[in-house]
């Protein structure tokens, strides 16, 4: 199922003070809620955790194992 609100997240960030997704202002380092002026984050805590979980699951399933030293043939 596609999430119809996907683009919503690129225009909104989560304000912990307002406890909702809000429009935000971007500055160099941070983004700020247009409603209360507080710093906003990309996801709410719950969304962030589910995002992390999803990421870890995806990594565990399809992720490539690090094969850094596998082809370490020294030529001298
Ligand atoms: Zn706010």
């Amino acid at each position: 199922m596609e999430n119809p609100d996907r683009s919503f997240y690129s225009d909104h960030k989560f304000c912990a003070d307002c406890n909702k997704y809000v429009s935000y202002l971007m500055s160099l380092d941070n983004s700020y809620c247009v409603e209360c002026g507080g710093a906003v984050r990309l996801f709410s805590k719950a969304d962030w955790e589910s995002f992390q979980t999803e990421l870890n699951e995806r990594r565990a399933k399809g992720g490539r194992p690090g094969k850094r030293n596998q082809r370490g043939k020294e030529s001298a």
Side-chain angles (χ1 to χ4, degrees):
M1 221 193 280
E2 289 291 326
N3 182 357
D5 285 336
R6 197 170 178 85
S7 67
F8 179 88
Y9 292 101
S10 59
D11 289 335
H12 295 77
K13 289 192 179 184
F14 187 80
C15 175
D17 291 332
C18 299
N19 197 33
K20 64 178 181 181
Y21 285 92
V22 295
S23 299
Y24 62 92
L25 299 169
M26 278 238 272
S27 78
L28 284 180
D29 296 322
N30 283 304
S31 303
Y32 297 99
C33 173
V34 295
E35 295 188 30
C36 74
V40 293
R41 49 197 293 170
L42 194 52
F43 299 113
S44 71
K45 191 164 186 285
D47 282 355
W48 175 248
E49 279 167 4
S50 67
F51 173 76
Q52 292 285 321
T53 306
E54 194 180 307
L55 208 69
N56 287 337
E57 279 171 6
R58 203 174 295 171
R59 224 179 257 158
K61 276 182 205 162
R64 303 180 176 194
K67 289 187 177 175
R68 281 213 173 173
N69 296 322
Q70 203 88 337
R71 57 206 301 238
K73 289 216 171 181
E74 270 143 86
S75 58

